[in-house]
Amino acid sequence: MEGIFAIWIRDLTRFFRDRARLIGSFSMPILFLLIFGGGMGGTMENLIGSSMPDAGEDFQYLQFVFPGIVSMTLLMTSIFSSLSIIEDKNFGYMKEILVSPISRVSIAIGKVLSASTIATFQGIMLFLLIPFLGIEYSLTSLLLVIPFMFLLACALSSFGLLIASFLRSTQGFQLIIQILVMPMIFLSGALFPINNMPPWMDVIVKLNPVTYGVDVMKKIMIDVESLSPMIREAMGLNLQLFGTTLTVAMEIAFIFIFTVVLILLATLSFRRANA
């Protein structure tokens, strides 16, 4: 436990001392909020309002997309934090801790926890923008979503660690991650509804773990039950798998199992990898 805690504290200290990384990490979410929230918000609201005059008059697209952008922040931060594994290998730090009494499993778990903590912190910081965006979420929903944010961040950081354990080049890691991250974001329902997709694309959507994370985030933060069935259907809030509409409990259970499996695979891969 001491080794896990030491690695966790080290990575957190590095993050908070790196002001450029701390400030720059918010640029992408804010950019997406401006583009999709401000640019597409009016178009989506007019579209919903014209097709559903009675149900869509109180619809706010920004309220729909904000949980998705928080999920996107968790995804990008969690996975890219695993880049520190490769950097530690290249600078020799990894060799130093590998000859210490700390086990490789403890190193891997410490890396996952630190990346998840950083990602969750950045997601929470986005909550500070809510009053300035003209949208409302209950304090209860924001508090309830934080533990799930950490769970989702653990799954995604384990995924990043699993990839990083096989690579020695930061350029190679960034290239592979960029190829994976963008489809995971755009095919998750984070920025636009994912219903009525072509069959082949719908398969990818259902295989994407971020899809279920985004759906849980929206169902917890947005009062989905207060929305009309037409709005829920139009915005893809009735996610189905094999003809069954998924509940929050079912999706959280899936993310938990997915997290456990990925952590086991990541620690096993890291344990066998050469530093």
Side-chain angles (χ1 to χ4, degrees), residues 9 21 31 39 41 53 59 62 83 97 108 127 154 166-167 171 184 209-211 247-248 252 261 266 272-273 275:
I9 291 296
R21 181 184 172 192
L31 180 62
F59 172 75
L62 190 56
L83 183 64
I97 60 176
F127 291 170
C154 284
F166 292 105
L167 302 175
Q171 292 82 1
M184 291 175 73
V210 185
T211 299
T247 64
V248 171
I252 290 177
V261 172
R272 294 180 176 179

Side-chain angles (χ1 to χ4, degrees), residues 93-104:
Y93 173 78
M94 189 59 64
K95 291 182 179 179
E96 294 180 5
I97 60 176
L98 285 177
V99 298
S100 69
I102 304 175
S103 68
R104 292 195 175 196

Side-chain angles (χ1 to χ4, degrees), residues 153-226:
C154 284
L156 299 172
S157 58
S158 300
F159 179 60
L161 179 62
L162 181 62
I163 296 175
S165 65
F166 292 105
L167 302 175
R168 289 184 174 273
S169 166
T170 56
Q171 292 82 1
F173 178 84
Q174 291 174 347
L175 178 61
I176 292 175
I177 290 303
Q178 287 175 357
I179 293 173
L180 292 174
V181 163
M182 298 314 294
M184 291 175 73
I185 291 174
F186 287 110
L187 295 179
S188 66
L191 304 175
F192 50 81
I194 52 174
N195 47 351
N196 300 320
M197 291 282 188
W200 66 270
M201 191 175 291
D202 187 63
V203 173
I204 300 175
V205 167
K206 297 302 171 55
L207 292 175
N208 182 9
V210 185
T211 299
Y212 306 98
V214 169
D215 195 57
V216 171
M217 292 278 293
K218 289 180 178 178
K219 287 178 179 176
I220 294 178
M221 295 180 66
I222 302 172
D223 187 7
V224 176
E225 297 302 323
S226 66

